[in-house]
């Protein structure tokens, strides 16, 4: 831990609950390694008090704030500026102080892209399934559209939400082939195709570690790569099912680390090298194994 003195700056994350966040591990590691005099702490913000929390942190000259569940969309009402990509995604996870308040950004999308690149998971010209149509699925859908996926199929328990998301993405990217499918109709996909599947529901998260959004083995015979955004546990049931059917399986920890690195770079102006990013990932992986 850095020595705290009169020049120490504070960063943190707003959430509710926030007690299990791994973000302090990421940012405090980076602060120590880049020699920045800052500490990163969790802030448990009560529902209904978000705008007061945003105003208060700006008044206190806080260096930067991350925003997590359930505030990523709601926080947009309390900002004086929003980055255009964050507007498209409809969610903000990073607040950067500017004159008079904060500007909001979304580093989830870019964090996922960096993680996928490092794991050598290709998007362009791929047929991709998104499982889920909640907050993070929006960032995934925009990323896939931006990076020229050949076809995007959004699969969700509540089909209406998948349809709405597909329509919204299509409005931004009219040439992208995107459609919605009800989770209950998933067997209609089983032809000769093989897909990249991005798991963006919260199913399989601790303590429900034996659950996966789809349990039928036949689904996984059509998945060449499964990218689970869940990272607790590190070895999810979804990943296990993908791997048992000879696919490549990944969890969401690398995405978490990269979205954090991108926020850190914005707040401090430090450029985190690839080598340090890899060290940060190893550190957080070890932390997750010990504290997960
Ligand atoms: P969210 O907005 O609450 O969306 C949840 C999604 O899960 C919805 O599509 C919902 O379907 C689906 N779902 C929930 N329970 C279900 C069930 N029993 N059966 C079928 N579908 C179910 O959550 P989110 O913010 O998008 O987050 C989703 C996951 O992504 C979480 O596990 C989160 O930890 C992870 N995540 C990871 C990172 C990272 O850095 N790795 C970043 C952000 C999020 P309905 O629409 O039908 O309710």
């Amino acid at each position: 831990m850095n020595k705290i003195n009169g020049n120490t700056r504070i960063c943190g994350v707003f959430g509710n609950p926030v007690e299990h966040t791994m973000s302090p591990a990421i940012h405090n590691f980076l602060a120590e390694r880049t020699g920045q005099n800052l500490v990163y702490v969790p802030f448990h913000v009560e529902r209904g008090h978000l705008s007061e929390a945003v105003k208060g942190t700006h008044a206190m000259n806080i260096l930067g704030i991350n925003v997590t569940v359930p505030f990523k969309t709601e926080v947009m009402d309390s900002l004086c500026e929003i980055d255009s990509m964050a507007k498209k995604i409809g969610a903000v996870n990073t607040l950067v102080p500017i004159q008079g308040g904060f500007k909001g950004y979304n580093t989830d999308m870019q964090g996922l892209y960096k993680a996928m690149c490092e794991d050598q998971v290709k998007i362009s010209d791929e047929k991709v399934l998104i499982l889920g149509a909640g907050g993070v699925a929006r960032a995934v859908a925009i990323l896939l559209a931006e990076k020229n996926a050949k076809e995007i199929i959004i699969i969700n328990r509540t089909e209406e939400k998948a349809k709405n998301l597909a329509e919204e993405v299509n409005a931004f990217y009219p040439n992208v082939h995107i459609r919605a499918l009800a989770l209950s109709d998933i067997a209609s996909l089983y032809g000769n195709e093989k897909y990249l599947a991005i798991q963006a529901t919260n199913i399989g998260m601790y303590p429900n570690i034996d659950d996966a959004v789809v349990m039928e083995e036949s689904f996984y015979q059509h998945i060449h790569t499964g990218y689970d955004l869940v990272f607790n546990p590190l070895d999810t049931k979804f990943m296990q099912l993908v791997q048992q059917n000879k696919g490549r399986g990944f969890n969401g920890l690398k995405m978490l680390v990269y979205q954090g690195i991108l926020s850190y770079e914005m707040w401090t102006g430090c450029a985190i090298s690839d080598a340090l990013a890899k060290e940060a990932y190893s550190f957080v992986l070890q932390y997750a194994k010990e504290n997960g």
Side-chain angles (χ1 to χ4, degrees), residues 47 79 98 105-106 112 115 134 159 175 216-218 243 245 251 265:
R47 286 164 197 260
L79 305 178
I98 57 171
Y105 295 86
N106 185 304
L112 174 60
E159 190 181 9
N175 297 328
E216 298 96 77
E217 289 270 343
S218 40
Q243 286 160 350
N245 287 280
N251 65 33
E265 287 180 327

Side-chain angles (χ1 to χ4, degrees), residues 132-136 156-158 161 200-203 205 229 252 255-256:
V136 78
N156 199 42
R157 174 179 60 177
T158 313
K161 276 169 72 177
T201 76
N202 35 34
I203 303 178
M205 277 173 79
L229 304 192
M255 170 184 177
L256 181 81

Side-chain angles (χ1 to χ4, degrees), residues 197 199 203-204 209 211-214 220 223 225-253 281:
Q199 201 301 109
I203 303 178
I209 61 171
D211 294 347
V213 59
V214 182
Y220 294 92
I223 305 302
T225 306
Y227 217 97
D228 199 337
L229 304 192
V230 169
F231 50 81
N232 183 15
L234 292 166
D235 186 25
T236 66
K237 181 75 184 175
F238 175 80
M239 288 164 64
Q240 290 168 14
L241 287 163
V242 169
Q243 286 160 350
Q244 279 161 21
N245 287 280
K246 302 191 168 52
R248 293 191 302 155
F250 300 91
N251 65 33
L253 192 69
Y281 173 69

